[in-house]
Amino acid sequence: MSQKSFHRTDRVAAQLRRELGTLVHQAVRDNGWPSISVSDVELTRDMEHAKIFFTALQSDRADEALQALNENAKEIRYELAHAMKLRHVPELHFHYDKSLDEGEKINNLLKDLEDGTPSED
């Protein structure tokens, strides 16, 4: 039975990611927030909490985006409840996904090594 619950959480997490992507995109347009995308959703086994990871087009505005998401988490959760057929919509916890920034930093370091110039970081 535990195997089945993992599949259910994976399916629900994927659906949450799709729905949140749409809701966040709309909120960005409506509220003038920094441009962001939902990159991943991790759901607890009991489906009470969801970690929502997002990326920002302008990484220097990630803190602003995180603040906007956290301030509007209840409203986003409410809209999510109407978009999905779940008995209980998990509590949303937003986190900035630094993986793109870190990947870019690594690429720059590798490029600097190829060029023979030291990095400024």
Side-chain angles (χ1 to χ4, degrees), residues 57-72:
L57 189 59
Q58 300 166 301
S59 58
D60 57 327
R61 295 185 69 193
D63 289 338
E64 179 185 345
L66 180 59
Q67 183 178 354
L69 288 167
N70 284 328
E71 288 173 357
N72 292 278

Side-chain angles (χ1 to χ4, degrees), residues 27-40:
V28 165
R29 287 188 5 206
D30 292 349
N31 301 309
W33 296 351
S35 185
I36 53 178
S37 298
V38 174
S39 59
D40 195 20

Side-chain angles (χ1 to χ4, degrees), residues 6-113:
F6 282 116
H7 291 301
R8 176 158 165 71
T9 57
D10 290 344
R11 285 193 314 269
V12 172
Q15 186 180 4
L16 279 169
R17 185 176 164 274
R18 282 190 302 273
E19 294 295 341
L20 280 167
T22 302
L23 291 171
V24 166
H25 178 72
Q26 187 64 43
V28 165
R29 287 188 5 206
D30 292 349
N31 301 309
W33 296 351
S35 185
I36 53 178
S37 298
V38 174
S39 59
D40 195 20
V41 173
E42 291 179 1
L43 196 57
T44 57
R45 254 185 179 180
D46 61 5
M47 295 195 284
E48 290 290 320
H49 300 273
K51 278 187 183 178
I52 317 314
F53 295 92
F54 70 94
T55 58
L57 189 59
Q58 300 166 301
S59 58
D60 57 327
R61 295 185 69 193
D63 289 338
E64 179 185 345
L66 180 59
Q67 183 178 354
L69 288 167
N70 284 328
E71 288 173 357
N72 292 278
K74 286 184 181 179
E75 182 181 332
I76 294 169
R77 185 179 181 201
Y78 177 79
E79 291 182 28
L80 195 58
H82 289 289
M84 295 181 67
K85 291 182 169 97
L86 288 175
R87 257 185 230 154
H88 177 76
V89 175
E91 194 173 313
L92 307 178
H93 305 279
F94 293 97
H95 301 274
Y96 179 60
D97 184 351
K98 297 177 185 172
S99 62
L100 289 178
D101 296 341
E102 291 169 358
E104 186 177 341
K105 187 185 272 187
I106 290 169
N107 277 341
N108 289 338
L109 288 171
L110 291 173
K111 185 177 180 215
D112 290 345
L113 284 174

